[in-house]
């Protein structure tokens, strides 16, 4: 408690004594309960942002001017592929950390990554077993670092790279030292200041670092799966093949009808129970016409060549049936003759 009326007290405010009672202090209004480190609400209409596709640069000098914030521009060249596509080529024969950077803080269309969830780019691997390093700088002075190893695990040539921006243990704060190793949060994405590209030597036997970069973009969550930057076309689905007709079981009903099951039962072995035939002698390469046509279908639909076990069994009972029929016919003829002889004798 004090008295700030300086004019009444010769410009010298004096403290006063007494008691003040406070009661029923309230915060009027409604809000969600406070949760520490809770991520703010993200815009639902976030669009993909192209950071640099390198098509706008007329030559290497223009590229170096845009990416020359850290110096070291001797490592940069603008390359053009046979189809006209332009990309940044990084080359550091001596190895070691050598960085280049581009400011984007003054570009309102690109410096806010709110709602974005993935950093994507194309990386041309030279197979040096070193690394391409990238850092993302924010407006409050934080830098988040990620390495892409240029080893055999990544095919040489162009590769599509995707880096999760939030809570990614591979993309962590490298500066300042306090909170080093902490992943990015949604708050960090609100104001992006700088993109840093560098070579990072991991292979001391071959320190040179060479790689190409193209199409640096950030994409929101709803584009993360649909727009991965991959140029691989889906394979054309093949037409389903026609279902194979099942092999028909040979019709032996006529053979069964002609036989008497009580006296000459006929049993047929299933076709799939036959033992496979022995393979032909490898030395016999003459390929006779009989063997060549053994498996060709005949007009009756049955394969030519060796008969089945069931057919052989039917053939083996054919002779007994014929003999029985002949005996029956002879008996009938003899009976008719005796009947005729008896009638003639009675007339006499």
């Amino acid at each position: 408690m004090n008295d700030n009326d300086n004019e009444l007290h010769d410009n010298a405010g004096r403290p006063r004594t007494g008691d003040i009672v406070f009661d029923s202090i309230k915060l009027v209004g409604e809000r969600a309960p406070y949760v520490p480190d809770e991520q703010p609400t993200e815009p639902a209409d976030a669009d993909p942002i192209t950071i640099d596709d390198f098509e706008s640069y007329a030559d290497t000098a223009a590229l170096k001017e845009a990416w020359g914030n850290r110096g070291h521009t001797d490592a940069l060249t603008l390359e053009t592929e046979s189809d006209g596509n332009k990309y940044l080529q990084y080359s550091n024969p001596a190895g070691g950390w050598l960085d280049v950077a581009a400011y984007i803080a003054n570009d309102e269309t690109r410096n806010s990554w709110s709602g974005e969830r993935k950093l994507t780019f194309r990386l041309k691997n030279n197979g040096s077993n070193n690394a391409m390093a990238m850092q993302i700088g924010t407006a409050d002075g934080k830098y988040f670092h990620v390495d892409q190893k240029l080893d055999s695990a990544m095919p040489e040539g162009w590769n599509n790279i995707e880096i999760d921006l939030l809570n990614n243990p591979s993309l962590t704060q490298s500066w300042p030292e306090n909170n080093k190793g902490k992943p990015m949060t949604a708050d960090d994405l609100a104001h992006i200041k700088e993109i840093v590209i560098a070579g990072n030597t991991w292979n001391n036997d071959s320190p040179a670092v060479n790689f190409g970069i193209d199409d640096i973009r950030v994409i929101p969550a709803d584009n993360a799966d649909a727009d991965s930057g991959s140029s691989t076309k889906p394979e054309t689905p093949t037409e389903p093949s026609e279902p194979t007709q099942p092999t028909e079981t040979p019709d032996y009903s006529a053979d069964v009808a002609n036989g008497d099951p009580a006296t000459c039962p006929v049993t047929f072995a299933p076709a799939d129970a036959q033992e496979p035939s022995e393979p032909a002698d490898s030395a016999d390469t003459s390929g006779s016409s009989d063997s060549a046509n053994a498996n060709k279908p005949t007009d009756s639909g049955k394969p030519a060549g060796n008969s089945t076990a069931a057919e052989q069994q039917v053939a083996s009972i054919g002779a007994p049936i014929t003999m029985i029929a002949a005996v029956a016919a002879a008996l009938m003829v003899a009976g008719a003759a005796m009947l005729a002889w008896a009638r003639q004798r009675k007339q006499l």
Side-chain angles (χ1 to χ4, degrees):
M1 299 175 62
N2 66 347
D3 186 349
N4 291 325
D5 191 349
N6 295 331
E7 294 181 359
L8 295 178
H9 298 88
D10 299 326
N11 295 322
R14 299 176 182 177
R16 292 177 177 265
T17 62
D19 297 326
I20 297 178
V21 178
F22 295 92
D23 189 15
S24 301
I25 300 175
K26 297 179 180 180
L27 177 65
V28 179
E30 294 182 0
R31 58 155 288 168
Y34 172 73
V35 179
D37 298 328
E38 184 180 30
Q39 296 178 358
T41 304
E42 301 159 4
D45 57 349
D47 294 322
I49 301 173
T50 297
I51 306 304
D52 205 337
D53 61 7
F54 306 99
E55 297 299 325
S56 63
Y57 304 120
D59 50 29
T60 295
L63 173 69
K64 290 182 176 182
E65 182 178 355
W67 284 84
N69 293 352
R70 302 294 179 89
H72 308 149
T73 57
D74 289 343
L76 299 182
T77 55
L78 181 67
E79 300 294 334
T80 303
E81 295 183 291
S82 58
D83 60 357
N85 176 65
K86 298 178 182 179
Y87 66 93
L88 179 152
Q89 177 66 40
Y90 178 99
S91 179
N92 178 17
W97 180 268
L98 199 64
D99 53 358
V100 297
Y103 282 128
I104 59 175
N106 294 327
D107 188 339
E108 295 181 358
T109 64
R110 297 189 302 164
N111 73 332
S112 176
W113 293 3
S114 296
E116 310 296 346
R117 286 297 171 265
K118 286 183 182 289
L119 172 68
T120 71
F121 54 91
R122 296 199 306 142
L123 177 62
K124 191 174 185 179
N125 177 22
N126 72 324
S128 68
N129 206 33
N130 290 305
M132 185 281 301
M134 182 173 286
Q135 291 181 332
I136 302 172
T138 63
D140 58 355
K142 298 176 185 175
Y143 282 85
F144 295 87
H145 177 103
V146 64
D147 280 308
Q148 288 294 321
K149 193 77 176 292
L150 304 170
D151 58 7
S152 58
M154 178 188 295
E156 293 193 22
W158 287 109
N159 295 268
N160 296 310
I161 306 298
E162 288 187 354
I163 298 173
D164 291 323
L165 293 171
L166 297 184
N167 302 315
N168 182 355
S170 297
L171 177 66
T172 58
Q173 184 174 325
S174 58
W175 181 263
E177 291 292 332
N178 61 310
N179 293 326
K180 186 175 181 179
K182 183 179 179 180
M184 293 189 80
T185 66
D187 288 336
D188 297 319
L189 296 178
H191 300 286
I192 303 298
K193 178 182 68 174
E194 188 178 27
I195 297 292
V196 181
I197 296 174
N200 203 355
T201 298
W202 287 8
N203 180 12
N204 292 328
D205 294 335
S206 179
V209 184
N210 297 281
F211 56 83
I213 287 185
D214 198 6
D215 297 328
I216 304 174
R217 307 174 70 211
V218 285
I219 59 177
D222 56 355
N223 289 65
D225 295 329
D227 188 6
S228 63
S230 174
S231 60
T232 303
K233 296 182 180 179
E235 295 182 359
T236 303
T238 57
E239 293 293 333
S241 59
E242 293 294 331
T244 304
Q245 295 294 333
T247 303
E248 295 184 1
T249 302
D251 185 6
Y252 296 117
S253 58
D255 297 325
V256 175
N258 292 333
D260 184 0
T263 58
C264 50
V266 180
T267 58
F268 301 101
D272 57 359
Q274 300 179 37
E275 296 183 358
S277 60
E278 293 295 329
D281 190 352
S282 59
D284 183 10
T285 59
S286 59
S288 64
S289 60
D290 292 340
S291 62
N293 297 326
N295 294 323
K296 292 184 178 180
T298 61
D299 293 338
S300 63
K302 298 181 182 180
N306 295 334
S307 61
T308 64
E311 291 172 322
Q312 292 176 355
Q313 187 172 0
V314 171
S316 66
I317 66 173
I321 291 177
T322 303
M323 293 178 62
I324 292 172
V327 172
L331 290 175
M332 292 177 64
V333 172
M338 291 181 66
L339 180 60
W341 177 76
R343 287 179 179 178
Q344 290 178 358
R345 185 176 180 181
K346 185 177 181 179
Q347 291 177 357
L348 294 173

